[in-house]
Amino acid sequence: MIRTAILGASGYVGGELLRLIGTHRELAPAKLFGDSKAGQPVAATHPHLAAAFAGETFEKFEAGSLDGIDLVFAALPHGHSQRLAAGILDKGIPFVDLGADFRLDDVATYEEWYHEPHIAPALLGEFVYGIPELNRAEIINAKAVAAAGCYATAAILALKPLVDAGIVKRDRLVVDAASGVSGAGREAKETTAFSTVDGSFSAYGLLSHRHTAEMEMAIGGTVLFTPHLAPMARGILATCYAEANGACDPLKLLATAYANEPFVQVIDQPPATKWVSGSNGAQLTARYDDRTGRVLALSAIDNLGKGAAGQMIQCANLMLGLEETAGLTTIGVYP
C-alpha cells in the first residue's frame, strides 16, 4: 500500500481527495495535514467521511512530518507550495501539487499574472503541467506534477485539439466559464455566502483571472477569459468561441482526439455540470457556425473532480505506474 500525505486535507479539495482515496486499491491516506484544524477530528470537518475516517485527526505540518511517506498531495492556498517544494523534492518523494505556484513555465509570466516575485524559480522546471490528456508521457516520468487549474482544464480540453489541428485562429479565443461556489475554497467570505450567491449569477476577475495564463501556455494562443460564479456547489461549464479558418467539423475532430481517453467523452448534446458531478469525467461538444464563421466548443467538468482532486489522483496513478483509472470514475451523481 502506498502511503500518502495530504497537505491541506481540511479544505474542500482535501476532503475530495480523502473521499476518492478511500475507494482506491493502492493509495492510503497515512497523514492528513490541516494546520488550522490540527488536533481536530476529520469527521468534524468532513462529516460525509465520518464512517471511513473514524478516530482520524488532522496534524500540524512540521519537520520530519513526511518520514515514511511515499507520495505527497498538496491542496494549499497560493504561495504555500513555494516554501515547501524544495524539502519534498529533496526527499525524493513524488509530489502532486494543486497550487498555481509551479504551473507556469517561466518566472516572468508568473510575476505578470500573480503580481509578486516567485521565491523558488529554480524549481519551475522540475514540475510537469498536470493534464494527462496533454502530457501523459511526461507525467509518467515525472517526480513533480503541478495539476492544472479547474477553469484551465475545462477550457484547454475544449480548445487545444482545435488549435493544434489548425481549424481555428489561435489569437482570437474567447472562454466564458461558470463555476460552483466550492471553487472559491472553504474560507468564509461574503462574496460566496449563501445569501450572496443564491438566486444570482455574476462575472468576476475581468481581464485578469490567473487561469488565463495557463490556458494560453497550454493551448498556444491568446485567450480572453471571463469567469462567472454560479449558484451551485460544484461544477464548471466552459463555453468557448474561436474564429474558424474555414468550414470544419469540430465535433468529429474532438471525438477523434479523445477517442482513447478514459475520462473525456465527446457527445452530441450540450453537456451539463450535473452529468459529471462527483466524477473525474469531462464531457465535450462542439459546433461550426457557418453564418458567423465561428466554432463553439463546450466543456463540463466537476471543479473538485477533474478540475482538482480527481486529476491529482489521475496524475499520481501515472507517476506511480498504477492503472490510470484506479480510484476514479466517469459516473456522475444525478440528480
Side-chain angles (χ1 to χ4, degrees):
M1 190 66 74
I2 297 165
R3 293 167 54 85
T4 68
I6 301 176
L7 312 184
S10 59
Y12 285 140
V13 175
E16 188 71 359
L17 278 168
L18 285 170
R19 185 180 74 86
L20 295 174
I21 292 174
T23 63
H24 201 294
R25 297 187 302 273
E26 304 288 345
L27 302 182
K31 294 187 178 182
L32 312 178
F33 298 104
D35 285 8
S36 65
K37 305 283 187 181
Q40 298 183 28
V42 170
T45 298
H46 301 307
H48 62 300
L49 302 175
F53 294 92
E56 297 284 344
T57 59
F58 295 112
E59 301 180 37
K60 183 176 178 61
F61 188 81
E62 299 173 332
S65 291
L66 298 181
D67 291 347
I69 291 298
D70 304 307
L71 174 79
V72 174
F73 290 113
L76 297 167
H78 169 68
H80 285 61
S81 294
Q82 294 178 42
R83 299 195 294 269
L84 301 174
I88 296 170
L89 297 180
D90 286 348
K91 291 179 178 291
I93 305 173
F95 181 26
V96 182
D97 182 32
L98 185 65
D101 297 21
F102 297 101
R103 290 176 186 158
L104 301 179
D105 53 14
D106 70 89
V107 173
T109 303
Y110 176 88
E111 293 180 352
E112 176 186 353
W113 286 93
Y114 288 86
H115 309 295
E116 62 186 29
H118 198 293
I119 66 173
L123 296 181
L124 286 174
E126 301 294 318
F127 285 78
V128 173
Y129 188 60
I131 297 182
E133 291 76 14
L134 271 62
N135 298 323
R136 181 171 283 107
E138 292 83 356
I139 293 170
I140 288 173
N141 295 309
K143 277 292 187 180
V145 168
C150 52
Y151 279 127
T153 297
I156 291 164
L157 290 175
L159 287 173
K160 185 168 176 58
L162 309 181
V163 171
D164 286 353
I167 70 169
V168 298
K169 292 180 169 60
R170 65 177 63 241
D171 61 343
R172 300 185 182 183
L173 306 173
V174 176
V175 176
D176 289 331
S179 173
V181 182
S182 60
R186 190 160 196 156
E187 181 184 352
K189 308 170 194 171
E190 182 180 353
T191 54
T192 56
F194 178 81
S195 57
T196 303
V197 176
D198 184 48
S200 184
F201 185 76
S202 60
Y204 63 99
L206 304 183
L207 308 181
S208 63
H209 196 282
R210 295 163 173 178
H211 286 191
T212 305
E214 291 178 56
M215 296 177 193
E216 294 189 339
M217 177 187 72
I219 294 170
T222 304
V223 179
L224 174 61
F225 170 48
T226 306
H228 298 75
L229 183 62
M232 59 186 184
R234 57 199 293 168
I236 284 179
L237 181 67
T239 305
C240 309
Y241 307 91
E243 186 174 334
N245 285 318
C248 56
D249 188 347
L251 183 64
K252 182 178 180 180
L253 193 152
L254 289 178
T256 300
Y258 294 116
N260 298 315
E261 291 295 341
F263 295 110
V264 182
Q265 182 184 19
V266 180
I267 60 178
D268 291 331
Q269 64 268 45
T273 58
K274 199 82 168 185
W275 300 347
V276 292
S277 182
S279 82
N280 194 52
Q283 292 191 352
L284 312 178
T285 199
R287 302 288 188 275
Y288 168 68
D289 180 26
D290 183 63
R291 184 178 66 86
T292 62
R294 288 179 169 79
V295 167
L296 168 68
L298 292 96
S299 173
I301 65 171
D302 185 331
N303 61 290
L304 294 178
K306 183 61 174 164
Q311 186 145 263
M312 293 173 78
I313 291 174
Q314 187 180 354
C315 290
N317 286 340
L318 290 170
M319 296 167 73
L320 297 169
L322 305 176
E323 183 180 351
E324 184 174 345
T325 57
L328 300 170
T329 182
T330 56
I331 300 172
V333 179
Y334 188 91

